[in-house]
Amino acid sequence: MMVETYLRRGRRTLQRLLLEPGIRAVLMTLFYGGSGFLLSAVSLGNAPQPMAMGMICGATGWRAAVMTLGAILGYPVFWGQAGEQGILWAASGGLLALLVGKREESRDQPLMIPAIAAFLTAITGLCFQIFLHDKTPVPMYALRIAVTGLTAILFTQAARCRDPVTDWLVGGVAALALAQIRLGPLGLGYLAAGLLAVGCAFPAAALAGLGLDLAQVTRVPMTAVTCLAWFIRLIPFDKRWQHYAAPGFAAVAVMAACGIWDLSILPGLVLGGAAAALLPPRSQIPHRRGQTGVAQVRLEVGAEMLFSTRQLLTEVEPPPVDAQALLDRAVERACGTCSARNKCTQRVTLTTDHILHPLEADCRKQGRLIPELHFAQERLKALNADRQQRLECRAAVAQQYCFLGEYLRSLADQLPRKAQRLEPEFEAQAAARSHGKERANGDRCLAFSGPECRYYVLLCDGMGTGLGAAQDGSAAAGLLRQMLLAGFPADHALESLNSLLALRGTAGAVTVDLAELRLDTGIACMYKWGAAPSWVLTRGGVQKIGTATPPPGLNAGENRMVTEKLSLRRGEVLIMLSDGVDGEGIQHLLDLSPDAPPGELAAEILERGCGSAEDDATAAVIRLRPASLPTA
């Protein structure tokens, strides 16, 4: 169970990285370039093949260009002087994909590009035989033409509409391409075969073995190995890792049956089987053992759906504001009735920079043009502000999808675990005292127990005074309390509140001061967002914790939260204050004792001049005591 959990977490970490636009762009570039590079290594009959050209013909745009560069680099690396013809295959395939790939006739006639690619392969082979006296046999010449056409059909179909058969064939081609590459004792072709045998359907496993057999890299019949590994995977083993070791078991069994021993294939097959654990889950519902299996699967599927939705939100940005259209409209309004508009040469000198700097515009009748440029400037500012607001709203919604997805994943991970109740070593003592400027107090302080030996003290300060501040503070405190009781991480809960305030347009409505105490370790973690600094009282004096920051809600994508960790194991007292309390004045109250009851300490802080008459004031005092001792 522990191994499976670690593998699942590794897979999820990779998925989160792929959701980042910058990382995704770099990885996609490396993937397409590496695909062209690796397919240039394909060998049939110990001779290079134009499979890279067929794959390039199935791509368009920058993907085709990156694949072409990878293949042009790969042929000399893998084949030396024998790869000169491969460079010409890759270059002609890239040119064909860029010139014809996006035309309508190529979409209506899907066999047109493969036919042209096969024709180009025939022409290049003929030219090498006539001018460079190439001695390629006729069967190999015909094989290369067939390989080009078939792989171009395969990858064109894969680019248009993916189906299981296409995916199986692409997997076999990948195993054939990787068969020629070794990293020390590790053969990448065996790694791909092991991965496909464990993580994919039976046809994919069989085609992967067939690809290795065609590459002639070992005397062991690899088709039999991958097929047997797929069937071994179906055995209901007690341990999950035994499924991932199926390629290694199958290889040993086939070598023993055939009397052919080649132990160099084992590292790649075993590692490939283990790598299958990192593959994304299949579309069909997998089976889980136990009464909570169905619930766990549904939570995982729901989390994947939320992450996919978040990716769709962040993939494409809205178009920028068309400043040129604003300029054209301003010029048309200013010059439309001008008597000199037909002979004016100054109109063509106007650019979008003149919207930002109207007085720099060169015009004989500035009384017409300057006001219109000022109007365009205001319109441009409004449109840019609206676009920025839409970007922030989209970032806030995407952030919520991410938090909910991670929350569902954590619940799915916890379902199959055996219940392990943590025993608290400490008990929390908390008290708060407050006085408001008006009848409705804007400060809201809550203390409550959370899951897994956690104890929370939450202080929300509604900005200002009166009924509005009280409503804002109560609403924020209630929402945070619900999320923390449900098991949300504290930082996710605060960032969710920040996004909500940004979406509602109520930036700076509240400040948040949250203390998360672990009753099993005695460690406290402070989360502050716009809140006043806190203080730790010991017998040696007081220590300041945190600094003031801007309140939440100013920007959905910007995190201004301050986090501090401290220990309360030795009787230290944590003092949390709202903005209405003069925190610096606590340093002068030298007679404060950390052994006093929390309620008395909070009342004494407010009564001895630390409270402000201009704002609501609240002081909360928290202390931990060993659970074996009686409470004070």
Side-chain angles (χ1 to χ4, degrees), residues 429-432 573-576 596-599 601-603 605 619-623:
Q429 298 178 334
V573 173
L574 176 62
I575 302 173
M576 300 167 59
L601 279 176
I605 290 173
V621 176
I622 306 102
R623 179 174 58 199

Side-chain angles (χ1 to χ4, degrees), residues 466-547:
L467 182 60
Q471 292 175 344
D472 291 337
S474 297
L479 178 63
L480 289 174
R481 182 177 183 273
Q482 290 178 346
M483 288 191 286
L484 293 172
L485 288 177
F488 265 74
D491 54 343
H492 287 183
L494 266 65
E495 290 187 30
S496 295
L497 177 65
N498 174 65
S499 301
L500 177 63
L501 294 176
L503 288 173
R504 294 182 60 188
T506 54
V510 295
T511 62
V512 180
D513 200 356
L514 175 65
E516 181 184 63
L517 291 79
R518 292 298 303 263
L519 300 183
D520 55 338
T521 62
I523 301 299
C525 189
M526 298 293 300
Y527 299 91
K528 291 180 173 292
W529 206 325
S534 299
W535 300 83
V536 175
L537 176 63
T538 63
R539 289 179 177 82
V542 292
Q543 179 182 357
K544 188 176 181 180
I545 301 296
T547 57

Side-chain angles (χ1 to χ4, degrees), residues 537-597:
L537 176 63
T538 63
R539 289 179 177 82
V542 292
Q543 179 182 357
K544 188 176 181 180
I545 301 296
T547 57
T549 60
L554 298 178
N555 191 323
E558 189 173 0
N559 189 336
R560 298 292 186 90
M561 179 171 53
V562 176
T563 305
E564 298 281 351
K565 282 189 176 182
L566 61 147
S567 174
L568 300 180
R569 296 175 59 90
R570 298 178 176 83
E572 297 91 342
V573 173
L574 176 62
I575 302 173
M576 300 167 59
L577 307 173
S578 67
D579 291 338
V581 181
D582 180 16
E584 302 297 333
I586 294 180
Q587 301 182 65
H588 305 295
L589 302 180
L590 301 179
D591 57 340
L592 289 179
S593 173
D595 298 323

Side-chain angles (χ1 to χ4, degrees), residues 77-164:
V77 171
F78 292 113
W79 298 100
Q81 188 175 359
E84 294 177 354
Q85 191 172 353
I87 297 175
L88 192 57
W89 290 334
S92 58
L95 188 62
L96 176 62
L98 294 176
L99 295 180
V100 186
K102 288 189 176 182
R103 293 189 177 181
E104 293 295 332
E105 55 267 24
S106 67
R107 300 177 185 176
D108 298 335
Q109 301 176 5
L111 296 180
M112 183 180 68
I113 291 182
I116 298 176
F119 177 74
L120 291 176
T121 303
I123 293 298
T124 55
L126 188 61
C127 291
F128 267 73
Q129 287 186 0
I130 294 176
F131 299 106
L132 299 178
H133 304 289
D134 186 28
K135 302 300 183 181
T136 302
V138 175
M140 180 59 66
Y141 177 71
L143 177 62
R144 287 173 172 173
I145 297 174
V147 164
T148 304
L150 292 176
T151 53
I153 293 174
L154 172 62
F155 287 105
T156 302
Q157 176 64 22
R160 292 174 184 271
C161 179
R162 291 186 58 183
D163 57 77

Side-chain angles (χ1 to χ4, degrees), residues 187-204:
L188 297 187
Y190 304 126
L191 188 147
L195 186 146
L196 294 174
V198 175
C200 297
F202 177 75

